[in-house]
Amino acid sequence: MTRRPTGSRAVGCASPRPPAAVLFDRDGTLIEDVPYNGDPASVRPVAGAGRALELLRAAGVATGVVSNQSGVGRGMLTHDDVRRVNDRADALLGGLDVWVYCPHLPDAGCPCRKPRPGLVIEAARRLGADPRDCVVVGDIGADVAAALAAGARGVLVPTPATLPAEVASAPATAPDLLTAVGRLLAHPEGDRS
């Protein structure tokens, strides 16, 4: 198990206004990571997720989820399983504006699977936003790479699953989700570093 890094690089805002949308990775970022989870009863939001989303909604920022769900391609989950888990997370977190996921295996070569940009581009399209006006928040390097490939900004919120090299190469990091969102909104409540 990798030790959780303690340092963080501020999430700089390119402009004084908040992003048009913040897109989150699902497992390990918004909800606790339960590998190949098909059980809605196992959904637990990470600390600060509900408050972070409240802050975004209050600021008029669209929210969404972009998630790799290779369990479908592996035959471990069905699309209905993924939708039920997403619905439970959505209910617990007060509702997000869009949910987009990739069911393919890592070696399938599909353009939507992170670190490719397809999920980010599709979520932005559904929200009526330019990907360049979006931020992707995730817990691994593939989340940040997908953001950058789509022209969006990426923010890494490290967990025990995050590799040290991913932290070192991330353009911006935050110690937790609430801090990341607070910095994006330049909201003092979220900056606890």
Side-chain angles (χ1 to χ4, degrees):
M1 180 180 282
T2 305
R3 215 179 64 224
R4 183 180 176 143
T6 55
S8 70
R9 286 180 299 287
V11 177
C13 282
S15 69
R17 63 183 172 82
V22 177
L23 307 172
F24 297 92
D25 173 56
R26 190 186 84 175
D27 303 311
T29 302
L30 276 183
I31 63 174
E32 297 294 332
D33 188 10
V34 176
Y36 307 112
N37 185 16
D39 179 10
S42 296
V43 173
R44 303 278 183 276
V46 300
R51 180 66 182 138
L53 289 166
E54 287 174 7
L55 291 171
L56 290 168
R57 284 190 283 272
V61 176
T63 59
V65 172
V66 289
S67 179
N68 288 342
Q69 293 297 320
S70 69
V72 176
R74 297 174 199 279
M76 302 168 74
L77 300 170
T78 66
H79 288 281
D80 285 339
D81 292 333
V82 174
R83 282 190 282 270
R84 283 195 318 271
V85 168
N86 290 350
D87 289 347
R88 178 67 178 150
D90 204 39
L92 290 172
L93 293 167
L96 286 94
D97 298 306
V98 68
W99 290 75
V100 185
Y101 70 94
C102 173
H104 304 111
L105 294 172
D107 60 357
C110 81
C112 63
R113 183 175 170 80
K114 294 179 290 183
R116 292 191 170 115
L119 289 175
V120 176
I121 292 168
E122 177 61 15
R125 184 193 69 76
R126 291 186 189 184
L127 293 169
D130 186 318
R132 294 173 297 186
D133 295 328
C134 297
V135 177
V136 177
V137 179
D139 66 325
I140 62 171
D143 300 320
V144 172
L148 298 177
R153 289 183 287 156
V155 178
L156 188 71
V157 177
T159 67
T162 311
L163 300 174
E166 294 171 329
V167 175
S169 65
T173 65
D176 56 61
L177 197 58
L178 187 57
T179 300
V181 167
R183 288 175 179 169
L184 288 169
L185 297 175
H187 193 286
E189 175 183 347
D191 195 354
R192 298 180 297 183
S193 57

